[in-house]
Amino acid sequence: MPEPSLAVRRKSRPGSVRKRSRAPVVQPSAVCSPVARKRLNSRGEGPPAETPCSNDSEEDMFGDFDSFSGNDSLLAQVDDIEHKYLQDKSMDIKAAGDVILGNLQSGVHQKKQDNCSTSNDKLVLKADKEDAFQLNENNPVDSNQEPTESVLDDLPSSQLLYFEKMDELSSGSRISPVSERRNKCVNSSSDKIRSPSPFCPDAECRNRPTDFSSDSNKCDLFKTESLKDHLKSAMTGNAKAQTLQVSKTKQLKEAVLSEEICVARKTIESSSVDIGPFYGLPSKVKDLFRQFRGIETLYEWQHDCLMLECLQQRKNLIFSLPTSGGKTLVAEIIILQELLCRQKDVLMILPYVAIVQEKVRGLSSFGIELGFLVEEYAGSKGRFPPIKRRIKKSLYIATIEKGHALVNSLIETERIDDLGLVVVDELHMLGEGSRGATLEITLAKILYTSKNTQIIGMSATLSNVGDLQKFLQAEYYTNNFRPVELKEYVKIRDTIYAVDSKTENGFTFSRLLNFKYSTNLEKADPDHIIALVTEVIPKYSCLIFCPTKKNCENVASMVCKYLKKEFRAHREKEKQDLIKNLKNIGNGSVCPVLMQTIPFGIAYHHSGLTNDERRSIEEAYSAGVLCLLACTATLAAGVNLPARRVILRAPYVANDFLKKNQYKQMIGRAGRAGIDSAGESILIVQEKDKHLVQDLVNSPLENCYSNLLLELTKGMQSLLLSLVGLKIAVTCEEVDNFMRSTLLGVQQQLLSKEKSLSEIIKDGLENLIEKGLVKGRISEKDHNSECILTITPLGKATYKGSIDLAYCNLLYRELKKGLEGLILESNLHLLYLATPYDMTSNCSPDWMIYLRQNVDSAVVNRLYLSFVLYTLLKETNIWSVSEKFNMSRGYVQNLLNSAASFTSCVLHFCEELEEFWVYKALLTELTKQLTYCVKTELIPLMEVAGVLEARAKQLYNAGYKTLAHLANANPETLVKMIEHLSLRQAKQIVSSARMLLSEKAEALQEEVEELLKVPTDIPGTY
């Protein structure tokens, strides 16, 4: 809470000394100068400063101070003291300053002994909002002299400005030794610091010779305005000042929260066994988990994990539990400890954009309540480097790729130590292709460049944990806990077997299906899916994992054809509302399959849906409106949608046989904590696959191996380029040292049998030199030479733009050629340059005329996709564009998302190359257009996490047209005005809007403070 101006703040004052009786008035001759006397009262015996934010009108606004209207004695005494003070011209200023400084330090020392939280206590004298004088109470000086009680102790602190002005005038241009000594106590601040010289005309001072070399005009200056008149004027102004109406209860709650955070921070730093109210966090955090998540208590394993000694010692940790075991809650508590107690920024890395957005929505409410920022780094969103916050700390929630770019920017700006904690969800993704290579590179850089950053990794499917422990230098914790029991079954023909690892073949007979099939139904449903789903729906929920997207739609259609009509009556109104919502999303168009299946409570879920459609279906399923989803394997690793029963349509993903990790992810969705007593998974198996399935269910999880070698341009070469560019390693020897700390370095004997790691590094560096990305010379005989490697401008642009090394030279050539004749009549030319290269392989335009002319098919495909994007930006309707170009709307949605992300990368690429300055402004605007692909007036609303196009239109039409409108909205009013919006969703939208508004305000405030900051290297200053 901001400090009120013109106030004295004394922190953590014991309640027993908050009120005191009036001190007897002493003789004016024994009184020090008003400013000095005011500062002497530092032993915790003075009246506490009254906060202006009070709604108690009956309370004396000056607190314990005399009211000037009700008691004239104070002003009379002050007037006498002023005359006495001005007439006494024989005092020794220097000696008086020494005495008063001793008195001040004595009071400070005494207060430190009495105060339980001295490390943070300060005495702040504020004259106005910009000028403040702060004395740090951590530097006590022994003194036996006790300060004398004076009526001036009771003066309001609002009069300090006048006293300081008097002292400054009296000191003239001369700086006394007292001021110099006192300046050592003043905390460094970007604000202006005023250091007046105090006067103390005591007996000891008078015995010393006095030297006044300044003019006699000083006394005249003192007399320009009567102190009595000044006090009256100032107090009258104070009385007329408007006070903010803030509840005292709210102030008290904020004070308690601040105090608990302070205590928790000290507890964390001291690694004490006493963990405080809630694992070292204020008790409000526990209340927020109850309020936002409905969590009353933690599971036993969560408590044990949070109490691990390695966490108390800030060691890295890997922990593994089955899906739905509650890993995320532990991670969030550790994150809050870092943000609130250790006051460090945190990076949370998640695998997919949808999960990032879900987590941003979920944690924004905590950020608003606890005073930290939640920043989204996904797709085209994210600022590099992030804004350096001076007060609030940031939680960066990022995808793997954006997390890597963020870490690069922090290393480059030498701010990596600001990152106190990195949390990685789905750590097993280290072994999955190019994304795994990027994740490995990110973690290796953090480990190598920052010794203070803690890494927490979690996963439900880890096998070779020893390698991962060695790579991350981490402890390991595991537990088999599941809140809901999971029962695994396999169905062969009409028989269901229970998975039992104790038996010889791994299966034991469970039961026969009890469902009468007609001849026609047997032909339509040979796998007995209808029999399996009707055992649970509509009362409970069910997921069917299918090998392909087309299979998802077919299964959903087939099931609803043979369900009884009674299924349509279950929550019929909500299902009609869902169809209406989908029509609004598609501007009147709805998928025919969904129109057919939704009335029965059934839908499909795969990448062919648009973002809005997918969100609506997920929300309807979570609310119980839909009871059956036919989905692809991507849902298993995506948002959390559990079910009573999970059915695997076949042991395949596309044409590939199921892996154990994938199988565990899918069946892990079975069982909803707090709803189901048990969860079931049923794998449908054909006779020909029986032996493969036996191996599958009884085999261990697949090992996690480094992908740096397999993914050459996105792996090894990308790593080497950024090491040189960031100056982490600029010689072959340094590169060797770094590579030994990677997962590849740990597993090199397994993965690089043909070549040694040194030879692989040499080949990679030579390739970068050949491409013109790095300059240097690699010795043929001894590549460990001390030759310094440097990065070229093209190389720097490549790694800072996160451009795939396979395309960097091609991109440079096309941008260069574009400068020769960039067509700006429309944005089609720009769109061509911003179309992702890796999307062209999936595009097959029917343009025979171009193919007959032997035009490069990649160029043709890219141009075709540019037309798709161009039409999309003009019409902003995915449905109509997908029909016009005969593409699935999911593919068009994916193209749009990829184009937005790639355009952001090209923008960062161009920012590093001066010759491409013209593209900067053009691509900045194009990135925003592709990110949102809506009318301009909807963009501010769509910046809010969780608000997509359909919701943005609803909000805009309801009058919520700006971010400020949403941030100040009442969730209950939103629910009444916006169709198909639950109270939980409304609260998340409002919290996300407040967080975004706070983040933007903080950024502007940081910019202002940076502009006003006084440089430390001004010429001629010392």
Side-chain angles (χ1 to χ4, degrees):
M1 191 169 65
E3 288 291 320
S5 62
L6 305 175
V8 177
R9 178 183 60 169
R10 295 180 177 88
K11 291 186 178 180
S12 305
R13 175 176 298 155
S16 60
V17 294
R18 289 187 180 271
K19 296 288 183 181
R20 63 176 176 81
S21 60
R22 291 280 179 207
V25 180
V26 298
Q27 294 301 319
S29 60
V31 181
C32 299
S33 81
V35 176
R37 289 297 307 118
K38 191 71 175 178
R39 289 172 181 161
L40 276 174
N41 187 18
S42 60
R43 298 181 56 196
E45 298 178 352
E50 294 295 330
T51 307
C53 302
S54 174
N55 59 357
D56 191 350
S57 59
E58 296 179 359
E59 189 175 51
D60 182 3
M61 68 178 293
F62 297 109
D64 284 344
F65 302 118
D66 291 325
S67 168
F68 83 98
S69 61
N71 186 357
D72 248 356
S73 62
L74 170 65
L75 297 179
Q77 293 166 21
V78 169
D79 206 20
D80 291 341
I81 293 171
E82 180 188 19
H83 287 297
K84 177 68 178 176
Y85 172 69
L86 294 177
Q87 291 169 4
D88 188 359
K89 298 188 177 182
S90 62
M91 64 181 179
D92 186 339
I93 298 175
K94 184 174 184 301
D98 289 338
V99 173
I100 189 62
L101 181 60
N103 290 343
L104 173 63
Q105 292 169 332
S106 172
V108 170
H109 180 61
Q110 181 64 33
K111 183 175 179 181
K112 180 174 181 181
Q113 294 175 346
D114 294 340
N115 200 323
C116 62
S117 56
T118 53
S119 61
N120 290 317
D121 289 351
K122 291 180 182 177
L123 177 65
V124 181
L125 302 177
K126 286 203 173 182
D128 54 39
K129 292 182 179 178
E130 294 183 357
D131 299 291
F133 175 76
Q134 297 184 347
L135 294 179
N136 194 315
E137 296 185 342
N138 288 332
N139 188 25
V141 178
D142 292 334
S143 175
N144 296 323
Q145 185 172 352
E146 294 291 329
T148 309
E149 286 291 305
S150 168
V151 70
L152 291 182
D153 288 347
D154 292 330
L155 283 178
S157 57
S158 58
Q159 312 312 315
L160 292 174
L161 181 61
Y162 178 76
F163 292 130
E164 291 180 358
K165 188 182 296 182
M166 290 172 57
D167 289 342
E168 286 175 350
L169 290 171
S170 66
S171 61
S173 59
R174 181 167 52 87
I175 300 176
S176 70
V178 177
S179 298
E180 293 178 3
R181 286 195 298 273
R182 188 177 64 239
N183 285 340
K184 296 178 182 178
C185 300
V186 179
N187 291 335
S188 61
S189 171
S190 59
D191 299 333
K192 301 173 188 175
I193 306 298
R194 178 177 289 125
S195 303
S197 301
F199 297 87
C200 183
D202 60 8
E204 184 179 348
C205 294
R206 292 194 198 95
N207 294 331
R208 297 183 180 178
T210 305
D211 180 17
F212 278 98
S213 57
S214 55
D215 298 338
S216 60
N217 292 335
K218 289 180 179 178
C219 290
D220 295 335
L221 289 172
F222 283 134
K223 296 178 181 178
T224 55
E225 182 181 1
S226 168
L227 173 59
K228 181 175 180 180
D229 293 339
H230 180 83
L231 288 180
K232 284 185 177 181
S233 174
M235 293 169 118
T236 303
N238 287 348
K240 292 179 180 179
Q242 300 252 344
T243 59
L244 297 175
Q245 298 298 315
V246 180
S247 167
K248 283 193 172 183
T249 304
K250 183 178 180 181
Q251 292 180 33
L252 183 59
K253 286 182 178 179
E254 290 177 349
V256 170
L257 175 61
S258 176
E259 183 67 22
E260 287 190 342
I261 289 177
C262 177
V263 172
R265 190 179 304 152
K266 292 180 179 179
T267 302
I268 291 290
E269 290 171 354
S270 63
S271 299
S272 172
V273 178
D274 180 10
I275 60 171
F278 184 69
Y279 299 98
L281 290 165
S283 54
K284 183 175 182 179
V285 175
K286 185 177 182 180
D287 297 336
L288 292 177
F289 276 116
R290 182 186 299 112
Q291 177 184 344
F292 296 141
R293 306 282 179 81
I295 297 173
E296 294 286 344
T297 57
L298 272 63
Y299 297 128
E300 184 179 349
W301 83 264
Q302 292 172 327
H303 171 78
D304 293 342
C305 186
L306 288 168
M307 295 301 295
L308 288 174
E309 187 177 350
C310 63
L311 281 183
Q312 310 302 321
Q313 297 175 357
R314 286 187 53 76
K315 293 182 180 179
N316 297 342
L317 175 68
I318 301 170
F319 62 98
S320 176
L321 279 96
T323 303
S324 304
K327 298 183 294 295
T328 303
L329 177 59
V330 171
E332 289 175 352
I333 291 174
I334 297 172
I335 286 171
L336 293 177
Q337 288 175 344
E338 195 70 30
L339 290 166
L340 302 180
C341 302
R342 298 189 181 94
Q343 291 289 295
K344 289 282 190 177
D345 295 329
V346 176
L347 169 61
M348 188 177 196
I349 299 178
L350 301 170
Y352 303 110
V353 174
I355 306 178
V356 169
Q357 293 172 341
E358 183 183 40
K359 188 58 65 178
V360 168
R361 293 196 303 271
L363 289 176
S364 290
S365 302
F366 286 85
I368 294 294
E369 294 291 336
L370 298 173
F372 62 86
L373 299 174
V374 179
E375 301 184 38
E376 179 183 342
Y377 281 75
S380 60
K381 293 185 177 179
R383 190 191 298 252
F384 303 101
I387 298 174
K388 185 175 176 63
R389 314 286 181 182
R390 296 188 183 182
I391 303 174
K392 290 187 178 181
K393 297 303 171 184
S394 293
L395 168 58
Y396 310 114
I397 304 180
T399 57
I400 293 172
E401 293 76 14
K402 288 294 182 179
H404 179 222
L406 177 64
V407 168
N408 280 346
S409 67
L410 291 175
I411 293 173
E412 184 178 32
T413 54
E414 298 182 351
R415 289 168 49 193
I416 190 64
D417 283 330
D418 292 346
L419 201 60
L421 174 68
V422 175
V423 174
V424 182
D425 195 9
E426 310 296 353
L427 186 64
H428 63 271
M429 290 197 71
L430 278 168
E432 297 186 11
S434 62
R435 306 195 76 212
T438 303
L439 181 57
E440 179 182 348
I441 292 170
T442 305
L443 295 176
K445 287 177 180 175
I446 294 169
L447 288 165
Y448 194 83
T449 58
S450 175
K451 303 304 179 186
N452 300 319
T453 304
Q454 184 182 19
I455 296 177
I456 305 292
M458 52 185 179
S459 174
T461 54
L462 288 178
S463 181
N464 55 331
V465 179
D467 288 350
L468 300 181
Q469 279 186 265
K470 191 173 181 181
F471 165 45
L472 295 178
Q473 305 160 33
E475 302 288 329
Y476 179 58
Y477 176 87
T478 186
N479 196 303
N480 293 324
F481 172 82
R482 273 189 115 257
V484 177
E485 181 187 2
L486 174 61
K487 299 177 181 179
E488 296 180 48
Y489 298 98
V490 170
K491 188 192 82 69
I492 303 175
R493 294 194 182 93
D494 61 348
T495 306
I496 295 180
Y497 299 90
V499 175
D500 187 356
S501 58
K502 297 177 182 179
T503 61
E504 185 177 349
N505 63 0
F507 303 145
T508 58
F509 174 80
S510 177
R511 63 187 175 91
L512 292 173
L513 282 177
N514 184 22
F515 189 88
K516 294 181 180 180
Y517 270 79
S518 65
T519 305
N520 291 336
L521 183 56
E522 187 75 39
K523 290 180 181 178
D525 182 26
D527 294 325
H528 308 103
I529 292 175
I530 294 176
L532 295 175
V533 300
T534 51
E535 290 178 347
V536 290
I537 67 169
K539 186 177 181 181
Y540 301 106
S541 57
C542 182
L543 294 175
I544 304 177
F545 284 103
C546 304
T548 64
K549 289 183 286 187
K550 189 63 178 174
N551 193 228
C552 292
E553 298 177 25
N554 292 339
V555 167
S557 297
M558 183 272 294
V559 171
C560 73
K561 281 181 183 178
Y562 294 97
L563 287 180
K564 297 178 181 179
K565 292 184 178 180
E566 288 81 358
F567 282 87
R568 298 177 68 99
H570 181 72
R571 304 186 70 164
E572 185 174 7
K573 183 182 182 303
E574 287 104 317
K575 288 185 282 195
Q576 291 302 319
D577 288 342
L578 175 58
I579 292 176
K580 183 179 177 182
N581 189 32
L582 291 174
K583 277 186 179 179
N584 292 335
I585 290 171
N587 292 324
S589 300
V590 181
C591 171
V593 176
L594 293 176
M595 279 290 290
Q596 176 193 5
T597 62
I598 286 177
F600 290 90
I602 300 170
Y604 64 84
H605 184 287
H606 57 59
S607 60
L609 296 168
T610 65
N611 291 341
D612 281 315
E613 287 175 325
R614 191 180 302 119
R615 175 73 57 75
S616 296
I617 289 172
E618 288 169 357
E619 290 174 351
Y621 177 81
S622 298
V625 177
L626 297 176
C627 55
L628 174 64
L629 289 184
C631 52
T632 53
T634 53
L635 185 141
V639 292
N640 186 25
L641 295 176
R644 173 67 172 266
R645 176 175 289 180
V646 170
I647 300 171
L648 280 67
R649 172 73 177 75
Y652 291 90
V653 174
N655 296 321
D656 299 325
F657 194 78
L658 202 61
K659 295 179 181 178
K660 184 60 177 281
N661 288 345
Q662 294 171 323
Y663 172 71
K664 282 292 186 182
Q665 288 278 2
M666 292 180 189
I667 68 173
R669 295 298 182 193
R672 298 167 298 173
I675 300 175
D676 299 326
S677 58
E680 300 173 335
S681 71
I682 301 175
L683 172 58
I684 298 175
V685 181
Q686 305 302 321
E687 194 68 41
K688 64 182 179 65
D689 295 325
K690 182 177 179 180
H691 294 294
L692 292 175
V693 170
Q694 285 177 339
D695 294 338
L696 171 69
V697 296
N698 294 299
S699 63
L701 294 166
E702 289 86 6
N703 287 335
C704 182
Y705 294 116
S706 171
N707 278 269
L708 288 181
L709 294 182
L710 297 177
E711 299 292 334
L712 194 59
T713 57
K714 291 186 178 180
M716 177 63 77
Q717 291 185 11
S718 175
L719 172 57
L720 295 175
L721 179 66
S722 61
L723 288 180
V724 176
L726 294 169
K727 299 180 181 178
I728 297 173
V730 294
T731 67
C732 291
E733 184 178 358
E734 291 175 348
V735 173
D736 276 343
N737 290 336
F738 180 92
M739 292 304 300
R740 281 195 286 271
S741 65
T742 62
L743 182 59
L744 174 61
V746 173
Q747 299 174 334
Q748 59 178 310
Q749 294 181 350
L750 293 173
L751 303 179
S752 55
K753 295 180 180 178
E754 297 179 358
K755 289 184 178 181
S756 67
L757 189 58
S758 298
E759 291 174 326
I760 294 171
I761 294 170
K762 178 187 174 185
D763 292 344
L765 290 173
E766 287 177 343
N767 190 279
L768 293 177
I769 293 172
E770 185 180 336
K771 287 184 177 181
L773 303 175
V774 169
K775 290 190 295 185
R777 183 174 54 83
I778 307 298
S779 172
E780 292 293 334
K781 295 181 180 179
D782 181 16
H783 76 280
N784 284 324
S785 63
E786 292 301 318
C787 175
I788 302 296
L789 299 168
T790 57
I791 196 165
T792 64
L794 177 60
K796 185 176 182 181
T798 300
Y799 91 79
K800 292 196 73 172
S802 301
I803 303 295
D804 190 337
L805 270 63
Y807 306 121
C808 62
N809 285 290
L810 175 60
L811 175 63
Y812 177 82
R813 289 195 299 270
E814 291 191 339
L815 290 172
K816 187 78 172 175
K817 190 172 182 63
L819 291 178
E820 298 174 5
L822 188 62
I823 300 171
L824 297 178
E825 184 180 8
S826 70
N827 55 12
L828 179 61
H829 195 167
L830 275 178
L831 283 170
Y832 175 79
L833 295 173
T835 300
Y837 291 101
D838 54 4
M839 292 290 292
T840 58
S841 59
N842 299 323
C843 177
S844 302
D846 188 14
W847 286 6
M848 295 305 297
I849 183 171
Y850 284 94
L851 296 178
R852 291 192 191 103
Q853 295 176 3
N854 296 321
V855 178
D856 185 357
S857 61
V859 175
V860 172
N861 291 357
R862 197 160 183 239
L863 180 60
Y864 188 78
L865 293 178
S866 302
F867 281 129
V868 176
L869 291 170
Y870 178 70
T871 309
L872 195 55
L873 289 184
K874 284 178 62 179
E875 299 185 11
T876 67
N877 187 342
I878 291 178
W879 267 90
S880 62
V881 172
S882 63
E883 291 173 0
K884 183 177 293 185
F885 288 90
N886 194 27
M887 294 176 166
S888 75
R889 60 192 185 282
Y891 180 83
V892 176
Q893 178 76 73
N894 190 31
L895 172 64
L896 181 63
N897 295 342
S898 299
S901 182
F902 184 69
T903 306
S904 175
C905 293
V906 176
L907 172 61
H908 294 306
F909 180 90
C910 293
E911 285 175 343
E912 300 302 320
L913 297 169
E914 190 174 346
E915 58 194 296
F916 293 148
W917 62 271
V918 70
Y919 288 116
K920 294 178 186 177
L922 297 172
L923 290 175
T924 300
E925 184 60 29
L926 184 63
T927 300
K928 184 180 290 187
Q929 292 179 28
L930 289 170
T931 298
Y932 301 108
C933 192
V934 292
K935 294 180 180 178
T936 307
E937 61 265 23
L938 297 181
I939 290 179
L941 300 178
M942 290 191 65
E943 288 180 338
V944 178
V947 177
L948 298 177
E949 181 180 2
R951 187 72 76 203
K953 288 179 180 178
Q954 287 181 308
L955 293 167
Y956 189 86
N957 293 334
Y960 298 94
K961 299 184 178 182
T962 67
L963 183 61
H965 283 152
L966 274 186
N968 294 282
N970 185 331
E972 294 179 356
T973 306
L974 275 179
V975 172
K976 295 177 183 176
M977 299 183 67
I978 307 298
E979 290 185 342
H980 319 301
L981 183 69
S982 68
L983 183 59
R984 181 183 64 85
Q985 294 166 347
K987 287 180 178 179
Q988 284 189 340
I989 287 174
V990 172
S991 294
S992 298
R994 288 177 180 172
M995 175 57 65
L996 185 59
L997 194 64
S998 174
E999 182 185 329
K1000 290 189 174 187
E1002 288 278 339
L1004 292 173
Q1005 189 174 352
E1006 297 285 344
E1007 190 174 342
V1008 169
E1009 290 183 4
E1010 191 64 31
L1011 286 172
L1012 297 177
K1013 184 179 179 180
V1014 179
T1016 57
D1017 56 350
I1018 300 176
T1021 59
Y1022 301 97

